[in-house]
Amino acid sequence: MSQLLHTMIRVVNLEKSIHFYTQIMGMKLLRKSENSEYRYTLAFVGFDDESTGSAVIELTHNWDTDSYEQGNAFGHLAIGEENIYARCKAIENAGGKIVRAPGPVAGGSTEIAFVEDPDGYKIELIQMSSAQKGLG
């Protein structure tokens, strides 16, 4: 059976991004590899390893790049949370940036919030009780 393994995003400051995803979002640094010939480092973060069926995020740091344009096609990453209200408070207390306070979506009952990582990528937090009903 096929499985979604990871989503790759390019980051400007790898250590700052690893700190955000591990210390603020609560993920684990699963592995890190450096390629000095082609001047990049990859760091994989997630709540669990891909071997468990969990999807992870590949943080790609190209050593000679100091900025990226995100464009307008990418939307966000989504993470299910047991309590988005408490999670947002913990993220704020840890220095994270909440860009949409927790609450129901416009015109619906699914409860969401949005966080922004150091590179400006948006992360949607979805109340698991809502996610288990099916989103759409």
Side-chain angles (χ1 to χ4, degrees), residues 52-93:
T52 66
S54 184
V56 305
I57 302 171
E58 174 188 331
L59 305 173
T60 298
H61 176 248
N62 295 299
W63 300 355
D64 302 317
T65 304
D66 60 3
S67 68
Y68 291 102
E69 290 183 33
Q70 290 183 3
N72 61 4
F74 178 79
H76 60 268
L77 304 171
I79 297 173
E81 293 284 350
E82 289 301 317
N83 183 333
I84 63 171
Y85 299 90
R87 191 72 181 101
C88 283
K89 180 62 83 180
I91 288 168
E92 271 186 322
N93 290 343

Side-chain angles (χ1 to χ4, degrees), residues 3-97:
Q3 173 190 336
L4 179 62
L5 295 175
H6 66 261
T7 297
M8 184 274 275
I9 57 176
R10 291 179 174 87
V11 300
V12 174
N13 183 321
L14 185 60
E15 294 311 313
K16 193 174 186 179
S17 292
I18 290 172
H19 174 82
F20 173 80
Y21 284 99
T22 60
Q23 301 304 306
I24 295 176
M25 295 305 298
M27 295 180 185
K28 298 180 251 181
L29 176 61
L30 303 171
R31 62 188 174 280
K32 190 173 172 183
S33 65
E34 195 169 278
N35 186 311
S36 57
E37 180 182 358
Y38 292 101
R39 303 183 54 73
Y40 68 83
T41 304
L42 306 178
F44 291 81
V45 296
F47 295 108
D48 212 344
D49 191 77
E50 300 98 321
S51 65
T52 66
S54 184
V56 305
I57 302 171
E58 174 188 331
L59 305 173
T60 298
H61 176 248
N62 295 299
W63 300 355
D64 302 317
T65 304
D66 60 3
S67 68
Y68 291 102
E69 290 183 33
Q70 290 183 3
N72 61 4
F74 178 79
H76 60 268
L77 304 171
I79 297 173
E81 293 284 350
E82 289 301 317
N83 183 333
I84 63 171
Y85 299 90
R87 191 72 181 101
C88 283
K89 180 62 83 180
I91 288 168
E92 271 186 322
N93 290 343
K97 182 178 179 183

